[in-house]
Amino acid sequence: MNPIIGWTGVLSRYGSTSCGSEPDKIQAHLEYVVQNLEARNDAISVTMTEAQQKNRKVMLDLVSNYAKARQFPQHCDPSASEERRPCFIDAANRPCAVAHLMQMTGHSALATSINERFQHSYLSDIVAANPPKLSEWQHESGLSAEELAMIQPTYEFAVEQCKAEFTAIMATLADRQPPNAADLDAMVSSFCSSLQGGFGWPRADFPMYQTKLKEFQQANPVLPKPVQEAVAKMLNATTIEQPREDFPVYQGFRQANTELPRPVQEAVPKMNTLRHCNRRKH
């Protein structure tokens, strides 16, 4: 979960790394780190300016609110699909906690430039590369480089997170007790966001999701309204668009240009996610 404190935050809340959903784990990690960094405030205040002390409090409050919002990125690097990896800003423009701090303190350009070069890098490696203006922002923030690295979690590969969330939703739908409508909607919304966040990689599993949802509908012809709405929303999110005549043009461009600048590499997959379900998984 984190290269400095590992899974301590998750273990302190759940007692096991296998308990809780992916958003639950990330939230637990972030809230644990905030609690521990706040506990350091008095001891380190003597080494900080008044502005740094104020900024530190603002930063930790921002992390706390970010954790509660639970809009976390996913890593979408197919070369590391079996690993947890950091992700500075994902394909759905969801920032990690550190990128969020930059954005909320007027340094969105810094977050964007770091994401362009170090999207799936650990913060310690980013700091070592010394990108422009990062050191200045870190110094003003009131947080040390190590503390910022403690905040940064790692994330599941987008495909794996989608599968885990789908499994959890289906278990909730199959429960004999009617689910809480608000909780169910939150789960379904998270799943749909996960589908969007993986540069299209989860699309290979769309037929599987569709099949299981339709089988559930057939086996349960009479469903509570919240369940009906949840199933309909997921069916819509996993519907495969029919291919359009221009799609081969996008595919041909990528095949003819195997070495592309990073911005172009990122743009082509975004257009490619509009293709139908037979999109090859790289």
Side-chain angles (χ1 to χ4, degrees):
M1 176 62 75
N2 178 270
I4 297 177
I5 66 170
W7 291 84
T8 306
V10 176
L11 291 170
S12 68
R13 178 166 300 180
Y14 297 109
S16 170
T17 59
S18 61
C19 295
S21 66
E22 175 75 355
D24 290 337
K25 294 171 184 176
I26 297 169
Q27 183 178 11
H29 165 76
L30 293 172
E31 291 179 346
Y32 176 87
V33 172
V34 168
Q35 182 180 12
N36 279 268
L37 295 187
E38 286 178 339
R40 297 181 179 184
N41 287 351
D42 290 342
I44 67 173
S45 62
V46 294
T47 65
M48 301 169 66
T49 65
E50 185 175 341
Q52 286 175 320
Q53 293 178 47
K54 181 179 178 180
N55 290 342
R56 181 183 177 89
K57 183 181 185 307
V58 169
M59 294 289 182
L60 295 179
D61 286 345
L62 286 171
V63 176
S64 181
N65 291 334
Y66 170 85
K68 290 182 176 67
R70 293 166 61 93
Q71 295 298 308
F72 308 127
Q74 303 151 346
H75 99 70
C76 45
D77 180 0
S79 68
S81 61
E82 302 298 320
E83 306 171 16
R84 298 187 68 90
R85 293 286 297 275
C87 183
F88 212 68
I89 303 172
D90 74 4
N93 289 320
R94 290 174 299 208
C96 74
V98 177
H100 177 73
L101 292 180
M102 293 177 182
Q103 292 173 343
M104 296 300 291
T105 54
H107 292 81
S108 294
L110 174 60
T112 300
S113 66
I114 289 175
N115 191 60
E116 289 173 353
R117 294 179 58 194
F118 306 102
Q119 184 180 27
H120 294 109
S121 298
Y122 288 95
L123 199 68
S124 57
D125 295 328
I126 298 174
V127 170
N130 194 28
K133 300 185 179 180
L134 174 59
S135 178
E136 179 182 350
W137 175 83
Q138 175 266 308
H139 180 72
E140 293 176 354
S141 74
L143 297 169
S144 69
E146 182 186 35
E147 289 174 332
L148 289 169
M150 286 174 62
I151 291 171
Q152 182 192 45
T154 54
Y155 307 94
E156 284 185 334
F157 184 52
V159 172
E160 298 307 315
Q161 182 167 334
C162 289
K163 289 179 179 177
E165 292 183 353
F166 182 81
T167 299
I169 291 170
M170 295 308 294
T172 300
L173 296 181
D175 197 322
R176 293 183 180 276
Q177 292 293 106
N180 177 281
D183 291 344
L184 180 59
D185 184 65
M187 293 176 69
V188 170
S189 296
S190 177
F191 170 71
C192 293
S193 294
S194 296
L195 292 177
Q196 183 185 11
F199 263 138
W201 303 113
R203 294 177 69 86
D205 292 321
F206 279 15
M208 178 268 290
Y209 295 138
Q210 287 266 320
T211 297
K212 291 191 174 183
L213 288 165
K214 290 176 181 177
E215 288 176 348
F216 177 80
Q217 283 182 319
Q218 292 171 358
N220 301 273
V222 180
L223 294 169
K225 186 175 180 180
V227 177
Q228 293 178 26
E229 293 175 348
V231 172
K233 188 172 183 177
M234 288 192 293
L235 281 170
N236 183 63
T238 56
T239 296
I240 297 156
E241 297 181 9
Q242 294 300 312
R244 302 175 187 174
E245 59 182 10
D246 289 337
F247 286 146
V249 175
Y250 304 138
Q251 283 294 91
F253 176 82
R254 186 172 185 177
Q255 292 167 1
N257 298 273
T258 56
E259 295 185 7
L260 296 168
R262 184 176 180 85
V264 180
Q265 291 178 24
E266 294 175 350
V268 173
K270 286 182 179 180
M271 292 187 290
N272 226 19
T273 56
L274 297 175
R275 293 181 67 238
H276 70 79
C277 69
N278 292 325
R279 181 182 192 276
R280 179 169 63 89
K281 184 178 178 183
H282 295 250

